[in-house]
Amino acid sequence: EKLNDIIADISSLIWGVPMVLLLLGTHIFLTIRLRFPQRYIFKAIKLSISKDPGSKGEVSQFAALTTALAATIGTGNIVGVGTAIALGGPGAVFWCWLTGLLGIATKYAEGLLAVKYRIQSGDRMLGGPMYAIENGLANRPNTHFRWFWKLMAAAFAFFTALATFGIGSTVQANAISTLGYEVCGIPPVVIGGIVTILAAAVIMGGVKSIARCCEMLVPFMAGVYIIGCLAILYINGAYLLPALELIVQSAFDPSAAGGGLVGSSIMITARYGIARGLFSNESGLGSAPIIAASAQTKNPVR
């Protein structure tokens, strides 16, 4: 409980107004500065599933895509959004949507920089925000405060590794063990052991092993997820329009959702929606570009 309280205090401190404005502001700035890259979404999907012959990289572009999607389809969208509604009211869903839509520009920029500033080490391609910060900022000619950018690169790598325990492992393992115990009566420690062994079997093989596993599992997982969502929407079709109306109203007038909810102000509603949006799509987190840097492509924009 003490550890949980400490994490909750740190979360409240970090996820204040400055972080919400910074993250959403970055999404808006890049959307405008890059002239709305969202309009090329279908072209982007086409390029993601096609090959770039004669290019360097460890995994195919499709493998890089599925590896990134593996972390964003499922738990973050189900548990994350449910938690956002519980804490910020129905209006939090609107801010999740907005973060996802505008976050496309940030996600694109992250991937581009990862490929542009990646380095080759033997037969491996290494990249991500830490390399973009170091090679794009710290190692530029006539750069001032070179030490500061190197420190920022190291700090990013440290905090990303730290974040993987929370958003990359703990939530997922907890969801699996809770479901397994409540539905099948399997002790959480047993499920934890099985999940650990399966995860280790994939991770120990390196990025190629992870990508191969994701190539096989993610298309199936995504298909089941989409079919499940459509089925739920069909079953609850009568409530769809009232729910949409409540979401939009609550996004700008949280009191419309009822006084009993924690979301008593627009900022609180936006805070949980944007935070869970980041948890769901990882735009701005900086983890997806690490695998993007391994993609077999000659052109960072591609």
Side-chain angles (χ1 to χ4, degrees), residues 19-90:
M19 176 63 81
V20 169
L21 295 177
L22 185 63
L23 187 62
L24 189 59
T26 300
H27 293 342
I28 295 171
F29 170 76
L30 287 173
T31 294
I32 297 172
R33 183 68 180 82
L34 298 174
R35 301 177 184 177
F36 297 87
Q38 291 89 338
R39 59 200 169 110
Y40 297 114
I41 187 67
F42 293 107
K43 183 176 181 180
I45 294 172
K46 180 182 177 182
L47 289 173
S48 295
I49 60 176
S50 59
K51 294 182 179 180
D52 191 5
S55 55
K56 295 180 179 179
E58 289 187 80
V59 299
S60 68
Q61 293 177 121
F62 179 68
L65 172 67
T66 55
T67 304
L69 286 176
T72 58
I73 298 174
T75 308
N77 300 55
I78 301 171
V79 179
V81 176
T83 306
I85 294 171
L87 296 172

Side-chain angles (χ1 to χ4, degrees), residues 90-253:
V93 176
F94 175 85
W95 295 101
C96 276
W97 289 341
L98 192 64
T99 304
L101 180 64
L102 296 176
I104 290 174
T106 302
K107 195 89 160 189
Y108 164 73
E110 289 179 311
L112 186 151
L113 292 172
V115 176
K116 180 177 175 62
Y117 292 108
R118 67 184 180 181
I119 63 172
Q120 187 165 358
S121 177
D123 60 345
R124 299 180 62 194
M125 302 299 292
L126 306 176
M130 55 280 198
Y131 288 94
I133 293 171
E134 185 170 4
N135 297 328
L137 293 171
N139 294 335
R140 282 192 311 174
N142 304 319
T143 296
H144 299 291
F145 305 109
R146 194 181 303 271
W147 61 271
F148 172 77
W149 295 117
K150 287 184 176 293
L151 179 63
M152 289 297 99
F156 172 84
F158 172 75
F159 285 116
T160 300
L162 199 62
T164 60
F165 289 101
I167 63 170
S169 304
T170 310
V171 177
Q172 288 80 354
N174 180 68
I176 295 169
S177 61
T178 300
L179 189 65
Y181 180 71
E182 292 181 353
V183 176
C184 304
I186 304 174
V189 66
V190 174
I191 297 177
I194 294 171
V195 170
T196 301
I197 292 170
L198 291 174
V202 176
I203 294 170
M204 296 291 281
V207 68
K208 290 184 178 180
S209 173
I210 296 171
R212 280 197 301 269
C213 181
C214 291
E215 272 187 305
M216 291 186 292
L217 292 179
V218 170
F220 170 76
M221 182 175 73
V224 171
Y225 180 82
I226 292 170
I227 293 170
C229 288
L230 292 174
I232 292 170
L233 289 174
Y234 176 76
I235 293 169
N236 297 279
Y239 304 102
L240 193 55
L241 289 178
L244 289 171
E245 184 180 354
L246 181 61
I247 286 169
V248 175
Q249 285 182 349
S250 302
F252 302 99
D253 182 17

